[in-house]
Amino acid sequence: MVFDFTEKEKGIQPRTIWCLGRNYAKHAKELGNVVEPCPLVFQKGLNALAPVNGIQRLFRDHGAVHYETEIVIMLDRNNEGPFIAGIGLGLDLTLRDLQSELKSAGKPWTLAKSFDGAALVSRFIPSNEIPDLDQIRFTMMLNQVVSQRGDSSQMILPLEKIPAYLEEYTDLQPGDIIFTGTPEGVGVLNPDDEVSLDLAGHHMGTVRFS
Ligand code: ZN
């Protein structure tokens, strides 16, 4: 797995990939979901991890694949507990047709969210290089057209509170990563699409789907 990690993060592999859902009110509404004070939480397996870089194969046999552009945080911990060490961007790829089927049948979404290559992650910027974690703007360009814009100030559970929220249930480990939810504007990916991600003026990565 090749990530453009900073020197400090090199060699650290995540043990878990946590994901928040419905952490932006407008996105929850665009999918017809109720907005609640706490986001929902799910995981993707490490099999799903791939870089926002080069060419990735697009799943074709199970209906629509949606992109969800999200701030991804990489954790470290000290005596006081987990903290945000790195800030990146990711694409939470979702088999939306399958997810809708599973949801309406009351079944878990795992296959819709954790297929190989479903967790695309960019390089990470050390969090101390970001002036205010609760005001991070990001942009996703699909074939050079802006398709999603987000700002961490719009999160229902603020970015800096997310590690403590999960820590109530688990001892988060250095290298663990968390997808923090998508703003509105999710959509379908097609073969030959190119996605480019930008966080606070930093180019984070470009990926093309085959
Ligand atoms: Zn998501």
Side-chain angles (χ1 to χ4, degrees):
M1 193 64 51
V2 182
F3 290 121
D4 185 10
F5 288 161
T6 63
E7 208 54 44
K8 183 173 169 291
E9 291 158 340
K10 243 175 216 168
I12 295 180
Q13 281 292 311
R15 187 193 58 157
T16 55
I17 305 171
W18 294 93
C19 304
L20 303 191
R22 303 176 197 166
N23 199 24
Y24 289 82
K26 282 186 190 165
H27 168 65
K29 286 180 189 158
E30 80 180 340
L31 294 187
N33 292 312
V34 180
V35 179
E36 291 171 291
C38 284
L40 65 83
V41 177
F42 60 97
Q43 283 197 342
K44 290 178 186 262
L46 290 175
N47 65 296
L49 196 59
V52 175
N53 190 21
I55 295 173
Q56 298 293 333
R57 193 177 73 87
L58 190 66
F59 249 65
R60 295 168 189 238
D61 303 334
H62 300 277
V65 179
H66 270 199
Y67 56 82
E68 299 184 354
T69 310
E70 313 196 0
I71 294 176
V72 179
I73 55 181
M74 173 174 284
L75 303 176
D76 200 349
R77 67 182 300 135
N78 58 22
N79 291 339
E80 287 162 27
F83 63 91
I84 299 173
I87 306 280
L89 288 176
L91 295 173
D92 164 11
L93 297 190
T94 304
L95 292 167
R96 191 70 76 200
D97 297 334
L98 178 62
Q99 186 194 31
S100 302
E101 251 174 59
L102 293 167
K103 253 162 107 175
S104 42
K107 293 178 179 171
W109 311 339
T110 311
L111 289 174
K113 286 284 194 182
S114 196
F115 54 94
D116 286 355
L120 296 181
V121 175
S122 76
R123 70 191 176 98
F124 289 84
I125 295 174
S127 59
N128 56 16
E129 292 178 16
I130 306 275
D132 182 353
L133 294 187
D134 288 322
Q135 290 193 51
I136 303 174
R137 288 193 190 173
F138 58 99
T139 306
M140 179 275 215
M141 273 166 300
L142 178 61
N143 303 322
Q144 296 171 5
V145 175
V146 173
S147 292
Q148 267 193 297
R149 276 183 210 281
D151 189 319
S152 61
S153 66
Q154 294 163 356
M155 288 182 177
I156 295 168
L157 180 64
L159 196 71
E160 294 192 83
K161 294 195 173 159
I162 292 171
Y165 178 68
L166 291 176
E167 184 79 359
E168 288 179 31
Y169 302 89
T170 177
D171 284 341
L172 294 163
Q173 297 299 311
D176 284 353
I177 59 179
I178 307 173
F179 279 72
T180 60
T182 186
E184 77 279 14
V186 302
V188 178
L189 281 177
N190 290 299
D192 294 327
D193 278 348
E194 185 185 78
V195 172
S196 187
L197 301 180
D198 181 285
L199 181 145
H202 304 270
H203 176 63
M204 301 299 284
T206 298
V207 60
R208 178 176 281 275
F209 293 92
S210 66

